[in-house]
Structure formats: structure tokens, C-alpha cells
Amino acid sequence: MKSSPLSTVIRNLFWIVPLAVTIGLWEFTSPILFQVVLAFIGMIILNPAVNWIESIVQKRGLSVFIVLASIIIVFIFILNLIGPILSRQAVDIQAMLSMDTFSNLIVKLEVISKDLLPEYLFLKVQALLVFMDSALGDIWRIIMTDIQGMISKAGNLVFAVGSFVMSLIFILVFLVFLLLDGQNFKRTFIHAIPNQYFEMTMKILDKISDSISAYIRGQLLAALSVGITSVIGLYILQWITGINIPYTYIIGCVAGLSNLIPFIGPIIGMLTAVIVYLVSEQVVPVQFIYVFSIMGIFGIVQLIDNLIVSPLIMSGSVGLHPMFVIIFVLVGGVMAGPLGMLFAVPMAAIIKVIVVELRWGFKHYKFL
Amino acid sequence: MTKIKTYWNNIFKADSTSSSLPIMTLKQVPIFDGLSNREFNAISKIVHHREYDTDEFVFQSGTPGLGMYIILQGEVVLNGVNTEGKNIEFSQLSSGDSFGEIALISEDNRSANAVVNSQCQLVAFFRSDLLDIIIRSPKLGNKILLNLATVLGNRLKHSNKLLTNGEDV
């Protein structure tokens, strides 16, 4: 039917009202929305597997069950295998974030700069380090409190409704619904669109969901590959040189996750490894060459990612200018802490995809 | 009791039009030839049910083709501009007819306008839905693809015949 503006609004109330309520009660709805987003990402990852199983068993419900049951079994297996190591490393690393660590870092930096710099420069750097000890100490303390506060804040955001287990169950329930009925949600939305924009909306939604799925899958696979290759690289380096880099798995996680941020992410992973190396106990004396080797390992990890893994799994980069990447990361950091920094660029990339496809649609369907 | 049932149905049944889609009309469409009742049910849950007013465009020539339409009720005219720049009517379609099948296999732009002649109910079946069926239910996907190939082959034969006859004249 040809629709008046009022009837269009009424037909779209089914998503306008929930959206208005979500924004109006943001404080209460954001944790749940975050769980829905996690479930949505889960759906994007698992949908191809569910489709494949469905092509064999011919039942959507059964294929969702098979995929989720297998994932849960594998997850429990992996958790039993590396879970204890990971949690021990996490506890150790939290204990390590203290003032002693900072003094230790300063001492190690002195040792390295002594190796590296000519004597007159070294003396200057040493004087500077001593002079800045107290000032830097304050900054270090603020950063540590901030990071620890933000980690617990991020945890609260995810698990605000009930306990950890309850939240996992909610995410699982959302995931099941999205996997079972994802297509229906889209159809219901499309149903409310006026005839004039029907084909265009359908096309744009398809293109956007394809691009976003490809982007999220690509990013997560790249993060996984960077995490794994970093851990392998660090193990090989320790084996060859005899230096000690503890918390390898945690460093792998940080390197993998921070890889979601282009340009800046790889440096974060590398710096984490270098700092951990400098502040931990070493049998082999600390030397600049080892710091350089750690950097080299992360360079190789990036080479593998950029030359082999990414071209295989990604349809292409989203093409954001480095300056905008930095701006997005900073804004994300101000808005939502480390979690905001992590998700700022993917969110910006998704928004860019939406804008590009909307423009394409309006142009090709002769509305522009 | 029935009242309560309807009340909850209104809340939990997202799109009541889809489940009540006349499968009988879908059965008349050549590309759904030979499908089982279960497969028709699956199709009726995937397709989009739309209502159009007189003189509304279903699609316009030159816009990206997305898929085909089946007329449940009403009339649709396919028209366009010929090489001499004159408006011509290609065909007039009514209940049970379908149009736009080529868009199911090709992403080319539409070659004609589809305009609604009288108040109309259409069912839209899109390429993305077909691709989804091919992945999730290859057997059903193959049936539809084979039917689609037959329909397009028949049209080619028909066009060839028209061309040959034209040469004779």
C-alpha cells in the first residue's frame, strides 16, 4: 500500500519503541545490549557451521544444537587444558603491577641505555631517569589504578546481570534465538519498509550484513592467528636465547586482541612483551639485543599476518586513514576505557560500511 | 480460551501474513514445480509478502535486479523504452504469473519497469534467499535451479522462434 508518513511511523514502531527505551534507559539496558552484541558476533561466527550441518541433517534446530554442543565440549576441553595456566598468569601479572616493578623497569632501562648510548649521553639519560623517578612513579601509579579499575569495569559491563554463569547462559540463549530466527528478524524489519524503498533496503541490508560478517570473521581469525604466532615466536626466542619471558599466553592474548586496532595494536602487543621481559627476573643479563629480538619476533608475526593470513581470510581492509584510527581509539578510550579503545576501530569500520552501502543504494535506486 | 490464544499469538507470531500465504498460488509458479508440501512450507516462510496500490512501481528500469515477483492478486504491467525512445508495453501479467526471474541468477540492472495496474498482492523471492536455500538445503536449491534453467531455456526458445518468424516476414 502507498503509505502516509503516519502509517510508516506506526509500521516501524516495533523497532522505534525498543530503540527509544534502550537509549532512554541506557544505564540499565547497556549490559544486556552488550550481551546481545556478543551473541550477535557469536551468530556471525557460527552461522556458516550451522548452515553446513543443516545441509546434511535438514533440521535447523538440530544443527544449532549440534554446533553449540560441540563448541561447548571443545571450550571446556581447552579451558581445562590452558585455563589454569592462563588464570595463574593473570593473577601473577596483577601482583606484578606494583611500584617495585617500576623501579625494576627503570634499572633495566639504565642497563640497556648504558649498552646502547655513548657515555656522555648515557649520563644524561641516567640523570633524567633519576630526576623523573618520582614524577614517572606517580604517572605509573595512576596508570595502574586506571587499568585495574577499567578491567573490573569492563567485567562489570559484561556481567552486570547476575553472576558470570548467569550472563553466559543469557548470551547462549540470545545466541540460540539468533541462530534459529535471525532470518525472521530481518524479514519482520523488511516487512515494515514502504514499497518504494523495499528493494533498496533489502539490497543494502544484504550488502551490509555480508561486509560486516566478513569483517568480523576476518578480524577474529587474524587476532587468533596473531595471538598463536606471537606465543610460538616468544617460545622459540626463549629457547634460542635462554632469556625469560613469563606470561607468554597473556602476552599472546593482548597481542591478538590489540591487533583489532590497526597501526597501534601491533605496537601494544610488542611493548607488552618488552615490558614483561624488562621487569621479570632474568638469568641471562638484560641486553638491548634481546629487546631488539622481541621486536623482531613481533615484526615477523605482523609479516605473517599481513602477507599470508590476512590476504587469505579478509576481503580487503576497511581503508581508514591512520589519523582517524588514532582519533577513534582516543575517543573510544575516553568513552569506555580499554574496551572502548579495542572496539572503537571495528565500530568505526562497521559504521563506514553502512554509510558506503547506504550511499550506493540511494544512488543506484535513483533517490540521489 | 480462544481469545487468550489469539492474544498470545499476536505477541509471539511475528509475521502472520507469511504463514497464511496461499501455497496454492506458489504451486502455479513454474520455478517451484515438483516441490513437496514441506518444501512449499519452507519457501512460504522465506518469501516476502507485499501489497501495492495502483500505479506504484514494483521496480524501475536501470535499478539493480534483486529477484522475482509472483502475482497473488491484481495486475502488473511490464513496460520500457524501445531503441527509438518510444514507451512500449512488453506484457500485462495477472494472478499466478511471475516476472523478474533473470534477477535470480544475474546481478544486472532491470531492463523494464514493473508498474501495478490495479491494487495488487505480490510475493517477492530474492537471489539472497535462493543462495541461502542452496547452502542450507541443497536438494531444494537444485530443484529450484533446474526449474529456473527450464523457464529461461523456454523463454530463449520462444525468443528464437519470434526472431525466426520475423526473418521470414
Side-chain angles (χ1 to χ4, degrees):
Chain A
M1 292 285 142
K2 253 181 200 163
S3 43
S4 67
L6 182 68
S7 74
T8 306
V9 169
I10 289 172
R11 281 210 293 182
N12 283 283
L13 278 182
F14 76 97
W15 66 269
I16 293 175
V17 171
L19 189 70
V21 171
T22 307
I23 294 170
L25 301 172
W26 182 249
E27 201 186 323
F28 311 104
T29 50
S30 58
I32 300 157
L33 198 70
F34 196 74
Q35 292 177 354
V36 175
V37 170
L38 287 182
F40 183 75
I41 294 173
M43 181 200 75
I44 285 173
I45 299 166
L46 297 182
N47 214 19
V50 173
N51 284 345
W52 181 66
I53 302 278
E54 194 190 354
S55 73
I56 299 165
V57 298
Q58 289 299 308
K59 290 234 173 3
R60 186 75 181 170
L62 183 62
S63 50
V64 170
F65 174 76
I66 292 173
V67 168
L68 285 182
S70 326
I71 295 281
I72 290 170
I73 290 168
V74 169
F75 189 69
I76 290 173
F77 181 73
I78 291 177
L79 212 64
N80 275 331
L81 210 67
I82 66 162
I85 307 171
L86 211 62
S87 67
R88 201 173 55 234
Q89 291 194 353
V91 170
D92 284 357
I93 221 166
Q94 258 193 328
M96 201 190 73
L97 297 175
S98 64
M99 282 311 292
D100 288 348
T101 325
F102 176 69
S103 325
N104 210 350
L105 185 65
I106 295 260
V107 173
K108 298 279 173 60
L109 279 176
E110 267 185 44
V111 173
I112 287 174
S113 41
K114 193 175 184 182
D115 272 359
L116 195 69
L117 302 171
E119 201 175 336
Y120 71 97
L121 257 180
F122 165 68
L123 289 175
K124 289 205 164 155
V125 168
Q126 195 184 28
L128 192 71
L129 283 173
V130 171
F131 173 71
M132 288 180 73
D133 197 355
S134 62
L136 278 176
D138 283 344
I139 295 173
W140 177 265
R141 199 177 303 119
I142 291 166
I143 291 175
M144 285 310 122
T145 349
D146 251 27
I147 287 182
Q148 282 174 342
M150 280 167 176
I151 288 172
S152 60
K153 221 166 141 190
N156 285 346
L157 186 65
V158 185
F159 305 115
V161 185
S163 64
F164 176 80
V165 178
M166 276 302 281
S167 305
L168 273 186
I169 291 173
F170 276 125
I171 294 174
L172 205 65
V173 169
F174 293 143
L175 181 60
V176 169
F177 278 127
L178 285 174
L179 282 171
L180 281 176
D181 279 340
Q183 283 300 101
N184 278 350
F185 293 143
K186 191 173 109 183
R187 266 165 43 87
T188 313
F189 176 73
I190 289 277
H191 190 69
I193 300 291
N195 288 337
Q196 202 183 354
Y197 304 107
F198 171 52
E199 280 212 340
M200 185 188 76
T201 313
M202 188 76 194
K203 180 82 183 169
I204 291 175
L205 274 186
D206 277 346
K207 285 185 79 166
I208 288 175
S209 72
D210 282 355
S211 309
I212 291 178
S213 307
Y215 176 75
I216 291 178
R217 263 181 224 135
Q219 287 290 321
L220 289 178
L221 277 175
L224 190 70
S225 120
V226 165
I228 292 172
T229 42
S230 303
V231 171
I232 294 173
L234 289 176
Y235 266 117
I236 293 174
L237 185 70
Q238 291 181 81
W239 180 63
I240 293 174
T241 58
I243 58 169
N244 173 32
I245 306 172
Y247 321 121
T248 329
Y249 287 106
I250 298 278
I251 296 172
C253 289
V254 171
L257 279 175
S258 63
N259 201 61
L260 294 173
I261 312 168
F263 312 113
I264 306 165
I267 299 170
I268 295 177
M270 187 188 73
L271 279 182
T272 314
V274 169
I275 290 175
V276 166
Y277 164 67
L278 288 179
V279 297
S280 50
E281 297 293 322
Q282 299 292 336
V283 183
V284 182
V286 169
Q287 280 178 23
F288 182 72
I289 182 79
Y290 296 135
V291 174
F292 190 73
S293 316
I294 295 173
M295 291 177 171
I297 288 291
F298 279 87
I300 295 170
V301 165
Q302 283 304 314
L303 271 183
I304 294 175
D305 176 49
N306 287 323
L307 296 180
I308 302 169
V309 183
S310 291
L312 279 178
I313 55 178
M314 281 199 232
S315 50
S317 77
V318 279
L320 291 169
H321 192 276
M323 192 182 84
F324 289 114
V325 167
I326 294 169
I327 292 173
F328 291 140
V329 170
L330 290 177
V331 171
V334 172
M335 279 171 70
L339 213 63
M341 293 172 88
L342 197 64
F343 286 114
V345 175
M347 283 306 289
I350 286 171
I351 291 170
K352 189 185 169 187
V353 165
I354 293 173
V355 171
V356 167
E357 299 303 351
L358 277 175
R359 263 179 55 183
W360 181 92
F362 274 89
K363 199 176 156 204
H364 282 79
Y365 284 90
K366 301 176 178 173
F367 291 110
L368 273 185
Chain B
M1 190 67 195
T2 344
K3 215 173 186 181
I4 294 173
K5 220 174 173 182
T6 328
Y7 175 74
W8 287 111
N9 273 352
N10 280 338
I11 291 175
F12 287 114
K13 265 199 169 168
D15 190 358
S16 58
T17 46
S18 63
S19 52
S20 61
L21 256 186
I23 289 178
M24 286 312 291
T25 315
L26 288 182
K27 283 187 175 173
Q28 295 171 24
V29 181
I31 76 155
F32 297 136
D33 250 4
L35 265 57
S36 67
N37 282 339
R38 226 179 99 192
E39 288 168 335
F40 270 116
N41 260 326
I43 295 282
S44 71
K45 281 179 193 156
I46 287 172
V47 293
H48 304 263
H49 188 233
R50 310 287 303 183
E51 289 175 1
Y52 290 79
D53 256 350
T54 314
D55 291 339
E56 245 189 310
F57 277 102
V58 181
F59 53 71
Q60 279 178 288
S61 157
T63 57
L66 269 196
M68 65 175 283
Y69 290 84
I70 300 146
I71 306 173
L72 289 185
Q73 199 190 318
E75 276 184 359
V76 172
V77 170
L78 298 182
N79 61 27
V81 180
N82 68 4
T83 44
E84 288 148 18
K86 276 185 187 162
N87 276 324
I88 49 164
E89 192 178 298
F90 298 128
S91 57
Q92 195 158 4
L93 307 167
S94 57
S95 175
D97 289 338
S98 58
F99 55 97
E101 287 93 341
I102 294 176
L104 283 179
I105 48 167
S106 142
E107 290 194 36
D108 288 347
N109 288 347
R110 301 276 192 196
S111 52
N113 298 315
V115 192
V116 170
N117 225 358
S118 60
Q119 243 190 24
C120 211
Q121 284 188 34
L122 301 180
V123 167
F125 178 58
F126 290 135
R127 185 168 55 246
S128 55
D129 301 326
L130 177 61
L131 294 176
D132 207 39
I133 291 176
I134 292 170
I135 292 169
R136 288 165 59 172
S137 181
K139 201 176 139 199
L140 174 58
N142 279 339
K143 276 188 193 174
I144 298 176
L145 281 180
L146 197 62
N147 285 335
L148 190 61
T150 312
V151 168
L152 295 179
N154 284 341
R155 288 219 185 128
L156 192 63
K157 269 190 212 162
H158 182 68
S159 307
N160 280 344
K161 217 176 193 175
L162 282 179
L163 271 176
T164 324
N165 289 346
E167 272 174 13
D168 286 348
V169 173

